[in-house]
């Protein structure tokens, strides 16, 4: 299927005929050339022809002339080869990554630093997606769907940008004690809807947050790997509808793999509970400082969760003008250099 072919082979024949014509014209003109067509006649030229310097110069001249003629023929043939359009017929199978990825963020203030750094790295990941669908859920007391699963990556990056701005706004205000004019807007962006029932139910209900992420995946498309990137400190204050172990069991039943990222200030009991829950789904648990950078954490998650599937196959023609084009450029360069030498 990948043998080189010519789209218009007639141009090769035309090129050969053109070279033959150039050669014939050159030979005819050479025979018709008068011995003293120009220049000054010199007496006793027979002695000059026997001179070693003259012989050497004449050999060099003939060599340059032969190289020039060969370069002209090569350039002409290369040009006609380009017109003939060398190409290969290839069978291509459309391959796409078919993962569905949900980013699930605990937006309680104790997780702000972790979320900000993670979101910043995930923007680079989203930019390089091909075929995957990405969604975002934020939660505290109640989960809020920021974006359903979609392959509109520009929209996802826009939402990640906004979440990052909201987190940075809250972090900066907490450090300085100053509240800029747009503080409420950005604070509401990352908290609105997540505190419904806060006084009665509490906050950081991580089991409910993870369970809500599971229900964002389609139950029909079972061939698509399902991944949740789950960021929290697992510091629960309140009564959960679904506990973290129960949410992990739900993930396992629905073939959802969870990659958990915890804060470096986590309590040991919270860390162990989250680690066991995440690993029960077939995923992996990370601390934000464990691998040195969030970039490495994200790369590790990506490497362990690829889902490449083959799509439809189709036949296409791929042009290969490289060799004729290179020959044409080389030939033209040699022609230019040799013609300069012949004029000296």
């Amino acid at each position: 299927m990948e043998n080189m072919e010519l789209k218009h082979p007639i141009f090769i024949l035309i090129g050969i005929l053109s070279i033959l014509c150039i050669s014939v014209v050159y030979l005819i003109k050479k025979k018709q050339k008068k011995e003293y067509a120009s220049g000054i006649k010199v007496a006793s030229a027979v002695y000059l022809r026997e001179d070693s310097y003259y012989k050497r110069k004449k050999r060099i001249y003939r060599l340059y002339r032969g190289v020039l003629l060969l370069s002209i023929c090569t350039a002409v043939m290369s040009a006609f080869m380009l017109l003939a359009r060398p190409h290969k017929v290839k069978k291509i199978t459309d391959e796409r990554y078919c993962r569905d990825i949900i980013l699930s963020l605990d937006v309680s203030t104790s997780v702000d630093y972790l979320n900000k750094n993670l979101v910043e790295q995930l923007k680079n990941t989203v930019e390089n997606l091909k075929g995957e669908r990405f969604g975002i859920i934020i939660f505290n007391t109640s989960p809020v769907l920021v974006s359903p699963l979609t392959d509109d990556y520009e929209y996802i990056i826009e939402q990640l940008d906004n979440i990052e701005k909201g987190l940075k706004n809250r972090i900066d205000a907490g450090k300085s004690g100053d509240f800029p004019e747009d503080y409420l807007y950005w604070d509401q962006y990352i908290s609105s809807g997540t505190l419904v029932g806060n006084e009665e139910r509490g906050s950081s209900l991580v089991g409910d947050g993870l369970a809500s992420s599971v229900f964002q995946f389609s139950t029909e498309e079972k061939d698509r790997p399902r991944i949740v990137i789950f960021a929290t400190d697992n510091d629960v204050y309140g009564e959960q509808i679904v506990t973290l172990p129960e949410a992990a069991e739900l993930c396992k039943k629905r073939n959802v793999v969870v990659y958990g990222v915890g804060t470096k200030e986590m309590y040991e009991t919270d860390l162990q509970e989250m680690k066991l829950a995440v690993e029960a789904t077939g995923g992996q648990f990370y601390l934000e400082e464990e691998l040195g950078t969030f970039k490495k954490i994200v790369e590790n998650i990506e490497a362990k969760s690829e889902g490449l599937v083959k799509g439809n196959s189709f036949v296409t023609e791929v042009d290969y003008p490289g060799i004729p084009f290179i020959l044409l450029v080389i030939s033209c360069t040699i022609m230019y250099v040799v013609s300069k030498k012949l004029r000296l």
Side-chain angles (χ1 to χ4, degrees):
M1 282 297 274
E2 294 191 14
N3 293 330
M4 187 76 75
E5 299 178 7
L6 297 174
K7 187 79 172 179
H8 309 292
I10 186 66
F11 283 109
I12 298 296
L13 180 59
I14 296 173
I16 294 171
L17 292 175
S18 299
I19 291 173
L20 289 175
C21 290
I22 292 170
S23 302
V24 169
V25 169
Y26 173 77
L27 292 173
I28 292 173
K29 288 193 72 176
K30 187 178 179 182
K31 283 187 177 181
Q32 290 179 345
K33 186 178 179 182
K34 294 181 180 179
E35 192 174 356
Y36 300 106
S38 62
I40 300 172
K41 293 182 180 180
V42 179
S44 303
V46 65
Y47 298 109
L48 179 63
R49 294 191 189 99
E50 295 299 323
D51 184 73
S52 60
Y53 176 80
Y54 174 82
K55 288 180 179 180
R56 183 166 58 84
K57 286 294 184 181
K58 192 170 183 178
R59 284 196 301 268
I60 292 172
Y61 172 77
R62 285 175 177 171
L63 175 64
Y64 281 156
R65 192 172 59 184
V67 170
L68 181 61
L69 180 61
L70 180 62
S71 299
I72 292 171
C73 292
T74 304
V76 170
M77 198 65 213
S78 299
F80 279 104
M81 283 181 68
L82 286 172
L83 290 173
R85 280 191 62 188
H87 69 280
K88 288 183 180 180
V89 178
K90 280 191 170 184
K91 182 179 179 182
I92 296 177
T93 301
D94 185 26
E95 293 183 337
R96 288 179 173 269
Y97 290 107
C98 65
R99 295 175 294 187
D100 284 343
I101 304 171
I102 290 287
L103 173 62
S104 185
L105 299 177
D106 177 355
V107 290
S108 57
T109 54
S110 57
V111 197
D112 281 352
Y113 283 100
L114 166 62
N115 288 338
K116 180 181 174 296
N117 291 324
L118 183 60
V119 165
E120 186 179 346
Q121 287 299 326
L122 282 172
K123 284 192 292 184
N124 297 326
T125 300
V126 173
E127 287 176 353
N128 296 315
L129 293 181
K130 181 185 176 184
E132 295 101 329
R133 296 185 302 207
F134 200 96
I136 305 170
I137 280 182
I138 57 176
F139 67 90
N140 193 345
T141 304
S142 306
V144 172
L145 180 63
V146 176
S147 171
L149 286 167
T150 178
D151 58 3
D152 186 348
Y153 304 133
E154 289 184 7
Y155 175 75
I156 291 294
I157 290 171
E158 180 183 339
Q159 300 310 308
L160 292 174
D161 279 335
N162 290 338
I163 292 171
E164 185 182 4
K165 287 177 184 176
L167 293 167
K168 185 177 185 302
N169 179 72
R170 199 156 68 179
I171 291 169
D172 291 345
K175 283 181 177 179
S176 64
D178 295 329
F179 297 88
E181 292 181 2
D182 58 355
Y183 173 81
L184 286 177
Y185 173 82
W186 289 114
D187 183 63
Q188 285 298 302
Y189 192 89
I190 57 171
S191 62
S192 183
T194 66
L195 295 173
V196 175
N198 175 257
E199 293 180 358
E200 297 82 17
R201 298 187 57 216
S203 60
S204 291
L205 307 183
V206 298
D208 295 350
L210 180 57
S212 67
S213 303
V214 176
F215 290 109
Q216 302 307 313
F217 298 106
S218 169
T219 56
E220 302 297 326
E221 299 171 298
K222 296 181 180 180
D223 60 329
R224 298 179 69 92
R226 304 164 183 180
I227 296 101
V228 173
I229 300 175
F230 187 54
T232 180
D233 59 358
N234 194 29
D235 193 10
V236 180
Y237 286 93
E239 193 69 31
Q240 303 178 98
I241 297 173
V242 181
T243 65
L244 184 58
E246 289 171 344
E249 186 62 28
L250 182 62
C251 290
K252 189 175 180 181
K253 286 180 180 178
R254 297 197 173 212
N255 295 319
V256 176
V257 178
V258 181
Y259 293 94
V261 187
T263 65
K264 54 189 175 184
E265 294 90 3
M266 290 181 75
Y267 295 115
E268 184 63 26
T269 53
D270 295 338
L271 186 153
Q272 291 302 323
E273 182 188 43
M274 185 175 173
K275 186 173 187 293
L276 288 173
V278 164
E279 291 177 350
T281 70
Q284 192 166 345
F285 175 76
Y286 305 92
L287 279 176
E288 59 180 307
E289 63 178 3
E290 189 175 59
L291 297 182
T293 66
F294 284 87
K295 183 178 179 181
K296 289 182 179 179
I297 293 174
V298 172
E299 286 175 352
N300 205 341
I301 291 172
E302 290 175 345
K304 290 177 180 293
S305 58
E306 289 181 350
L308 186 65
V309 294
K310 293 185 177 181
N312 296 328
S313 297
F314 58 94
V315 176
T316 186
E317 294 177 354
V318 181
D319 287 340
Y320 284 86
I323 294 176
F325 179 75
I326 292 170
L327 285 174
L328 180 60
V329 171
I330 293 173
S331 300
C332 291
T333 304
I334 292 173
M335 286 165 56
Y336 174 78
V337 173
V338 172
S339 62
K340 286 284 188 182
K341 289 287 186 181
L342 288 173
R343 288 174 189 168
L344 293 176

